[in-house]
Amino acid sequence: MEECPNRKVFDSLSSSFDRIDEAAWFIRLMEENYHSANKFRWSLNSFLRTLKEIMQLVSMEVQGSKELSKLVAAKKSELSNDPLIAFLYKQRDIVVHKEMLKPASRGSVGFTRGRGMKLGLDLPIDPLSDSREAIKKYIYFAAKDTDFMGILYTEEDGGGEYTCVQRQWRLSQFPETEITELAASAWEKVAQAFFDVAGEMGAKLIKPTFKLGNPNQVQFEIYNPEWVKEQLEDFKKLIAKNGA
């Protein structure tokens, strides 16, 4: 029985297929660790590295064919001329050879009923700090003075309202677009270039798409009222002890 084309192509490009899956996995890790600054940044770094490695691996795996090598070179050139891909490739080189990447980080402290921010105060969040540090700063202020925004929920009130932080990460070249959206778009572009090569080899593949998680879940960190109450009481004790 003749081996199916997809299996033959997959075996020939197994390392490249593995790397495209790895890149997608790092986007998921960014979403899962969205409010943990170091884990988010490290996942982004790993995504940037694997993204650039995909077409490099494709080049290695087709090097025995002049026609395929020529096609891969053309696809790599197209990707390098894409503003988003070119920028991310450059960020990868900076991370690997020069210094750590610190994306822009902003957020809002406020409250939610489970869908969107109902009332919030915008503020920058240090890209090296977890989202929890932002709400702790507000709780400390409230302990010294007052919860002037009325966003600290210290007990269940039956209304389904919770104190929260909404956070967003950005890169300087694309300040209007959230980082995981950029990553998903870049992944689709590189995956399509790779799939075009696999298609030339006889594989039948669907258009690659990356579906991100719900922003109302990814970008929001919701705090248990009991935890908020504990933080508020601890700060009040600290302020009373230190007199400031």
Side-chain angles (χ1 to χ4, degrees):
M1 183 177 179
E2 186 177 353
E3 189 175 12
C4 70
N6 275 20
R7 173 50 59 185
K8 291 174 65 176
V9 174
F10 180 83
D11 289 343
S12 298
L13 301 172
S14 59
S15 293
S16 302
F17 276 108
D18 182 69
R19 199 56 50 90
I20 200 76
D21 288 342
E22 184 180 353
W25 182 62
F26 284 125
I27 301 177
R28 292 296 179 216
L29 284 183
M30 278 190 272
E31 290 190 309
E32 291 174 12
N33 296 289
Y34 203 84
H35 296 275
S36 178
N38 287 340
K39 291 180 180 179
F40 178 89
R41 292 186 306 102
W42 296 337
S43 298
L44 172 60
N45 291 347
S46 296
F47 169 75
L48 294 173
R49 287 193 290 266
T50 54
L51 184 74
K52 190 169 185 178
E53 290 168 356
I54 293 164
M55 295 306 291
Q56 293 173 343
L57 282 174
V58 178
S59 294
M60 294 298 297
E61 292 188 306
V62 304
Q63 61 183 335
S65 168
K66 289 184 179 180
E67 290 186 359
L68 289 174
S69 294
K70 186 175 180 180
L71 175 60
V72 172
K75 292 296 179 182
K76 290 171 72 174
S77 179
E78 290 176 10
L79 290 171
S80 294
N81 289 326
D82 181 282
L84 172 60
I85 301 300
F87 177 73
L88 294 183
Y89 280 179
K90 182 177 180 180
Q91 301 314 298
R92 174 267 179 195
D93 293 342
I94 290 174
V95 168
V96 172
H97 300 295
K98 188 176 180 181
E99 62 187 3
M100 68 176 177
L101 176 62
K102 293 197 291 185
S105 171
R106 291 198 61 82
S108 301
V109 296
F111 76 91
T112 182
R113 295 190 179 96
R115 188 168 187 173
M117 181 77 74
K118 301 304 177 184
L119 177 66
L121 175 67
D122 292 340
L123 74 168
I125 301 178
D126 188 335
L128 301 182
S129 295
D130 295 346
S131 297
R132 184 163 293 198
E133 295 307 309
I135 196 62
K136 279 187 174 181
K137 287 181 179 179
Y138 182 84
I139 295 174
Y140 178 75
F141 175 86
K144 288 183 65 177
D145 192 351
T146 182
D147 176 18
F148 72 97
M149 291 183 64
I151 65 171
L152 297 182
Y153 287 84
T154 57
E155 59 183 32
E156 299 281 355
D157 62 359
E161 296 173 338
Y162 294 92
T163 303
C164 69
V165 167
Q166 180 184 17
R167 188 169 192 165
Q168 294 184 334
W169 294 90
R170 297 283 193 272
L171 291 172
S172 60
Q173 192 75 6
F174 300 89
E176 301 302 318
T177 307
E178 192 275 330
I179 285 182
T180 59
E181 293 180 23
L182 292 176
S185 177
W187 182 91
E188 290 176 351
K189 290 180 178 183
V190 175
Q192 186 61 64
F194 169 39
F195 281 16
D196 287 345
V197 176
E200 188 68 21
M201 297 171 68
K204 304 296 182 183
L205 302 168
I206 63 173
K207 182 178 177 64
T209 58
F210 193 99
K211 184 176 177 57
L212 291 167
N214 186 337
N216 284 319
Q217 296 176 347
V218 173
Q219 295 181 12
F220 281 76
E221 184 165 73
I222 298 173
Y223 304 103
N224 186 289
E226 184 176 341
W227 179 85
V228 175
K229 183 177 182 179
E230 290 175 355
Q231 297 301 309
L232 187 60
E233 291 177 347
D234 287 346
F235 278 131
K236 285 181 177 179
K237 291 177 183 178
L238 181 63
I239 291 167
K241 180 179 178 180
N242 295 333

